[in-house]
Amino acid sequence: MRTFELIAPCHFGLEAVLKREIIDVGYDITETEDGRVTFLGDAEAICRSNVFLRTAERILLKVGSFHAVTYDELFEKTKALDWAEYLPEDAKFWVAKASSVKSALFSPSDIQRIIKKAIVEKMKLTYPVKYFSETGSEFPLRVFLNKDKVTIAIDTTGASLHKRGYRKMVAKAPISETLASALIMLTPWRADRILVDPFCGSGTFPIEAAMIAANIAPGMNRSFTAEQWTNFIPKKLWYETVEEAHDLADTSVKVDIQGYDIDAEVLKAARKNAADAGVAHMIHFQQRPVSQLSHPKKYGFIITNPPYGERLEERAQLPPLYHEIGERIRALDSWSAYLITSYDKAEQDMKMKAAKNRKIYNGMIKTYFYQFPGPKPPKNENR
C-alpha cells in the first residue's frame, strides 16, 4: 500500500504530546515543527489517525512542498505536482485556508487563486476536458508558507478533530476537547487515581478523562471528509478502523472522576454531554463552589480551567478567587493540581509556586499550564 506524508496540526506548545501519541498509534515521525507533527502512513493510517488521535486538530495529506518567492514560481511548482494521484476528474477542490509567515508571498487570496488555477491547468493535461464540473467528492486544500517554503496538503478530516460529536452544549469560555486531552496526558494521572475538576463547565475535562480511561477513540462516532475518497482509500478501511475502536473500548472500567460547578444550568449541559459521549455513568457532577472543594481520600488530581477574567470588569474578582483556589489545594493532603489560565498572577494569589509552568496557546490567548505535582502513593496503597 502506498505511503504518504501526513501532517497533524496541534496547539502550540503541545507538539511532544502529539508526537508520543502518534508513535503509540504505530507511525514514524519525520518532522516536528511549531504546532505541527509530520509522520508517515498509508491509507489505513489516514483512517486510524483521524479516529484514534486525541490531541491533533486535523490530519492533512501532504501533496508536496517547494521554495517559491514569486507567483510565477508558485504557479509552476504547484502545476508540477502529480494532482491526478489524488484528485479524480469530478473532484470538488478549493484552497480552504492559506497562511504565510515570514515569506515574500503573503496575500492569502492571491495564493489561493494561483494554486487553484495551477491545479486546474495540470488536471487538463490528465483529463481530456476543458471544464471541470466539480460535482464529486470534496478535497479541501490547506497551504502553509513559512520562510518561502510552500507546503500544500489536502484536509482528510473536515470539521476539526476537537468536534468529537458529544459537546452540543457548551459553557462560557469552554476549553477544546483536543486541548483538554493533551493537558490530561501531560499529567501523571491514570484511571486508578481520583480526578476532580472544580470548574468543570460543560464537562470537557471529566469527559475526556473518562474517554481516556475507557479507551474510547475520540473519532469513532463522527464522519470525515476522506471517507468519500474511494479513489485511493477503500471504504472497508474506515469500517475496519471503527470496528477496531469499538473492540478496544471498555466502559466498564471503575473510575473516580468528578466535576463541580456553581452553575446548575451548566451542569445540566455537562451531564447531557457526558451521556452523549457514553461516559455519564463514569462521572459524578455536582453543584458546588470552589470554597467547598474537599475529598476524604489522598493522592487525587485536580485538573481544571478556572476563570481567566478576560473582561476588564471580571479581573477584580480574580485575586480572591485564586487565593481561595490555593487554600483549597493546600488543604487536600498529598494531592496534585494542574491549572490552565491566562491569569499571570495565579501563583502570587494562590501563594503557591508551580513546579513547572508551560506556555500554551488556547486559540489566540496565551495561557499558562501551572503544574503542582503531589507525592506518589505508596505501591501497596489501595487506590
Side-chain angles (χ1 to χ4, degrees):
M1 197 176 286
R2 184 181 172 191
T3 299
F4 305 102
E5 271 195 287
L6 302 174
I7 303 170
C10 65
H11 284 272
F12 283 91
L14 294 173
E15 298 84 3
V17 181
L18 175 56
K19 184 177 176 180
R20 185 172 71 240
E21 198 183 5
I22 291 169
I23 292 169
D24 288 346
V25 174
Y27 303 112
D28 294 328
I29 308 294
T30 59
E31 188 176 14
T32 303
E33 305 168 89
D34 287 345
R36 196 176 304 147
V37 179
T38 302
F39 61 103
L40 298 176
D42 54 15
E44 183 184 61
I46 293 174
C47 306
R48 297 186 74 248
S49 55
N50 271 299
V51 170
F52 286 105
L53 293 181
R54 299 182 188 279
T55 63
E57 292 300 307
R58 60 184 65 250
I59 304 299
L60 306 174
L61 170 57
K62 181 178 174 181
V63 178
S65 62
F66 50 81
H67 184 271
V69 294
T70 68
Y71 286 115
D72 283 343
E73 265 191 301
L74 180 65
F75 179 88
E76 294 299 337
K77 291 182 178 180
T78 298
K79 185 180 175 183
L81 298 173
D82 193 357
W83 288 102
E85 283 285 318
Y86 308 98
L87 305 180
E89 184 178 329
D90 65 348
K92 180 179 181 181
F93 61 96
W94 71 101
V95 181
K97 184 175 181 180
S99 62
S100 178
V101 177
K102 298 178 181 177
S103 298
L105 306 179
F106 57 85
S107 166
S109 60
D110 288 335
I111 292 166
Q112 289 169 304
R113 178 177 53 82
I114 295 291
I115 286 177
K116 170 80 176 188
K117 183 179 178 181
I119 298 171
V120 169
E121 291 305 310
K122 179 58 176 280
M123 289 181 69
K124 284 180 181 178
L125 300 176
T126 305
Y127 303 111
V129 296
K130 292 183 178 180
Y131 171 78
F132 293 96
S133 63
E134 298 197 43
T135 56
S137 301
E138 295 186 348
F139 292 81
L141 306 174
R142 291 192 169 232
V143 182
F144 311 97
L145 279 75
N146 187 10
K147 297 179 181 177
D148 300 319
K149 179 186 175 183
V150 182
T151 300
I152 305 179
I154 310 175
D155 180 10
T156 75
T157 302
S160 172
L161 288 175
H162 81 266
K163 295 186 176 181
R164 318 289 206 212
Y166 69 76
R167 198 172 73 169
K168 299 175 181 67
M169 307 176 74
V170 298
K172 179 183 173 185
I175 193 165
S176 78
E177 294 87 331
T178 47
L179 179 54
S181 262
L183 295 179
I184 293 168
M185 292 163 71
L186 266 179
T187 77
W189 178 80
R190 295 295 178 268
D192 61 348
R193 303 282 290 275
I194 303 158
L195 188 150
V196 174
D197 179 359
F199 299 95
C200 74
S202 52
T204 310
F205 270 129
I207 292 169
E208 290 295 319
M211 290 177 69
I212 291 170
N215 205 22
I216 296 173
M220 73 180 191
N221 293 316
R222 54 159 288 174
S223 60
F224 305 96
T225 298
E227 287 180 52
Q228 306 305 317
W229 300 355
T230 52
N231 53 320
F232 65 96
I233 306 179
K235 276 278 190 183
K236 71 170 188 173
L237 293 181
W238 292 102
Y239 297 136
E240 289 170 356
T241 300
V242 172
E243 185 178 354
E244 177 190 0
H246 280 284
D247 289 344
L248 291 172
D250 178 13
T251 57
S252 67
V253 63
K254 301 298 181 185
V255 293
D256 187 348
I257 299 173
Q258 302 178 29
Y260 307 148
D261 205 282
I262 59 172
D263 189 330
E265 288 302 311
V266 160
L267 288 172
K268 284 183 183 178
R271 292 187 180 100
K272 177 67 166 61
N273 292 339
D276 289 344
V279 295
H281 63 291
M282 299 173 65
I283 306 169
H284 172 67
F285 289 108
Q286 185 179 358
Q287 186 176 6
R288 182 191 290 197
V290 69
S291 60
Q292 295 178 19
L293 175 60
S294 63
H295 201 288
K297 294 182 180 179
K298 292 187 174 185
Y299 307 111
F301 280 71
I302 294 168
I303 304 178
T304 192
N305 175 37
Y308 293 3
E310 289 305 309
R311 295 177 185 169
L312 191 62
E313 64 269 21
E314 295 172 345
R315 290 190 72 83
Q317 303 170 19
L318 294 186
L321 174 64
Y322 279 80
H323 177 76
E324 191 145 50
I325 292 171
E327 282 191 336
R328 299 320 307 155
I329 291 173
R330 289 192 296 275
L332 286 164
D333 180 33
S334 74
W335 277 50
S336 301
Y338 297 83
L339 292 79
I340 181 171
T341 178
S342 66
Y343 183 47
D344 55 5
K345 292 186 173 62
E347 289 175 296
Q348 174 185 312
D349 292 339
M350 290 171 67
K351 293 183 168 50
M352 296 175 68
K353 179 65 177 174
K356 289 183 181 179
N357 174 10
R358 184 185 288 251
K359 188 189 300 180
I360 293 167
Y361 279 86
N362 183 4
M364 298 303 293
I365 302 172
K366 182 171 72 173
T367 63
Y368 307 91
F369 189 48
Y370 294 104
Q371 303 173 52
F372 305 94
K376 294 180 180 179
K379 289 185 178 180
N380 62 350
E381 179 82 16
N382 181 11
R383 301 197 294 268

